């Protein structure tokens, strides 16, 4: 059987380096490098491909926005403040109207977060956009996927699943206010930079949700050598999604949808309700062992789909 995305990385690219300035390498949302005594450089890169990460026909401005947003989200997951980016563009043709719109979408977000474009590469080929992002975090205060401990609360920001519902809206050409709201949740995810900064020194572990809540929580648990139990009744529910899709589709969007770029994080067991950050929901608990179990009314729930893997198909049972 062909290797999945994460097996490819583990088998061929996850190599130990003796360099003392690599504080955190492959395996988290971004790398952390020692560049000075008081702060750390945080670096991540993400590629989006037409027909894979966004549907053919997506507006250029939305592609520009999204290419940066998904990268900012990885810095948010580390508790870092973004500063620069490089841009690698593979374009089927040189279309000025398209480029103008793409740049407008990209710089709209770049200006909001004061990110400077400092270099890149432009080639002819299928439509593929790669942004590499860098930023800073104060020494010893970056967030990782590996710090969760049994008893910790599992929390999530926003309403996961709305981006996947938005993608379904686009694919089915649905219209109306709820459809438009969900479409924007897919096309214009809001990177949770402020929340990531707020979680420094508070969260025991954090990551962003790009591939699906369950598959991403699996990764956090694997990195933390623990398991988790999700309380299905506690999951945030999307009113707009419920007006357009049936219950089982909505549950699938929340658990396996991906593309949300919300933060998934753990708080210490002793944290109380008043410690939940604004617009975040406690959805479960970290437990000893491994794997993520969904529960409803004290009973385990079987889940059809957990999220996205580029090489294993869409489902990771
Ligand atoms: P994210 O979804 O947060 O962007 P990924 O799931 O894509 O992270 O990747 C998991 C980890 O593997 C990250 O630390 C990433 O930097 C690393 N990684 C992915 N692809 C490669 C590669 N080809 N070479 C080296 N590291 C990689
Ligand atoms: Mg990530």
């Amino acid at each position: 059987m062909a290797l999945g995305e994460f097996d490819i990385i583990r088998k061929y690219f996850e190599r130990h380096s003796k360099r003392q300035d690599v504080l955190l390498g492959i395996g988290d949302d971004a790398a952390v490098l020692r560049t000075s005594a008081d702060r750390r450089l945080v670096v991540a890169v993400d590629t989006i491909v037409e027909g894979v990460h966004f549907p053919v026909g997506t507006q250029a401005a939305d592609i520009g926005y999204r290419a940066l947003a998904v990268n900012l989200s990885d810095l948010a997951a580390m508790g870092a403040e973004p500063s620069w980016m490089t841009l690698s563009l593979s374009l089927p043709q040189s279309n000025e109207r398209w480029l103008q719109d793409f740049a407008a979408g990209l710089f709209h977000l770049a200006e909001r977060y004061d990110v400077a474009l400092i270099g890149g590469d432009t080639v002819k080929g299928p439509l593929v956009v790669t942004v590499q992002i860098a930023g800073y975090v104060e020494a010893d205060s970056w967030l990782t996927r590996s710090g969760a401990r049994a008893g910790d609360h599992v929390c999530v920001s926003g309403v996961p699943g709305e981006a996947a519902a938005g993608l379904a809206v686009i694919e089915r050409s649905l219209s109306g206010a709820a459809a438009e709201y969900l479409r924007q949740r897919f096309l214009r995810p809001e990177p949770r930079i402020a929340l990531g900064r707020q979680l420094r020194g508070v969260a025991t572990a954090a990551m962003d949700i790009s591939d699906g809540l369950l598959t991403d929580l699996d990764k956090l648990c694997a990195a933390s050598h623990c398991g988790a139990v999700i309380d299905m009744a506690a999951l945030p529910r999307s009113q707009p999604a419920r007006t357009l899709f049936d219950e089982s589709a909505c549950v699938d969007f929340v658990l396996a949808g991906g593309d949300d770029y919300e933060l998934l994080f753990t708080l210490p067991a002793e944290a109380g309700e008043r410690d939940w950050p604004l617009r975040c929901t406690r959805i479960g608990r970290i437990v000893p062992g491994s794997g993520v179990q969904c529960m409803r009314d004290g009973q385990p729930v079987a889940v059809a789909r957990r999220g996205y893997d580029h090489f294993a198909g869409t489902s990771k049972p």
Side-chain angles (χ1 to χ4, degrees):
M1 206 179 78
L3 289 180
E5 189 183 337
F6 299 97
D7 297 323
I8 294 175
I9 298 164
R10 205 170 302 127
K11 185 162 179 191
Y12 291 102
F13 301 115
E14 206 171 318
R15 302 252 170 114
H16 179 72
S17 158
K18 287 195 296 292
R19 288 193 64 101
Q20 296 290 308
D21 51 4
V22 181
L23 301 179
L24 184 67
I26 293 173
D28 219 295
D29 291 289
V32 179
L33 311 170
R34 191 200 318 271
T35 53
S36 70
D38 58 333
R39 52 184 192 167
R40 305 293 176 236
L41 188 63
V42 181
V43 183
V45 63
D46 257 314
T47 297
I48 58 174
V49 178
E50 183 177 49
V52 178
H53 298 92
F54 56 89
V56 175
T58 301
Q59 301 288 310
D62 293 327
I63 299 169
Y65 177 101
R66 208 158 187 288
L68 177 55
V70 301
N71 276 278
L72 288 173
S73 179
D74 275 329
L75 286 208
M78 305 301 290
E81 180 129 351
S83 46
W84 319 283
M85 61 176 164
T86 58
L87 168 68
S88 170
L89 260 185
S90 167
L91 297 171
Q93 73 248 332
S94 161
N95 174 337
E96 281 217 46
R97 178 73 205 276
W98 189 95
L99 286 163
Q100 199 172 50
D101 290 349
F102 174 86
L106 179 78
F107 286 112
H108 165 73
L109 191 58
E111 280 160 22
R112 275 180 48 209
Y113 286 97
D114 196 18
V115 175
L117 178 61
I118 56 166
D121 197 17
T122 306
V123 300
K124 186 169 179 177
L127 182 53
V128 178
V129 185
T130 300
V131 169
Q132 182 190 45
I133 188 101
Y136 284 115
V137 67
E138 296 73 7
D140 306 324
S141 70
W142 65 89
L143 301 166
T144 68
R145 298 176 178 184
S146 57
R149 297 292 171 260
D152 286 359
H153 303 281
V154 178
C155 300
V156 73
S157 65
V159 185
E162 290 196 328
L167 181 58
V169 160
I170 293 168
E171 284 166 354
R172 297 173 204 188
S173 306
L174 303 179
S175 57
E180 185 50 29
Y181 175 83
L182 295 170
R183 231 168 59 83
Q184 290 302 315
R185 298 292 298 128
F186 173 78
L187 293 171
R188 301 267 169 156
E190 187 60 52
R192 303 298 182 194
I193 294 287
L195 174 62
R197 301 287 292 157
Q198 190 188 336
L199 291 177
R200 282 168 305 145
V202 176
T204 48
M207 71 181 296
D208 67 330
I209 304 176
S210 51
D211 295 335
L213 175 60
L214 286 185
T215 195
D216 285 336
L217 184 54
D218 279 335
K219 291 175 208 165
L220 187 148
C221 285
S224 295
H225 305 290
C226 59
V229 173
I230 295 293
D231 175 8
M232 299 282 282
L235 290 170
R237 298 177 70 96
S238 166
Q239 205 46 50
R242 290 173 76 190
T243 64
L244 295 173
F245 300 97
D246 66 21
E247 177 66 15
S248 74
C250 288
V251 168
D252 178 68
F253 291 149
V254 177
L255 295 178
D259 287 319
D260 291 300
Y261 300 99
E262 294 294 351
L263 292 188
L264 179 63
F265 56 96
T266 53
L267 295 177
E270 57 275 16
E273 208 154 317
R274 79 170 83 88
D275 300 313
W276 307 162
L278 277 181
R279 287 181 288 281
C280 292
T281 312
R282 180 199 182 281
I283 59 168
R285 201 175 267 286
I286 296 292
V287 296
S290 64
V292 179
Q293 175 87 70
C294 294
M295 303 284 279
R296 188 186 290 282
D297 303 325
Q299 297 298 315
V301 177
V303 173
R305 216 167 63 90
R306 301 180 77 82
Y308 194 81
D309 181 310
H310 281 278
F311 292 96
T314 57
S315 180
K316 288 216 302 181

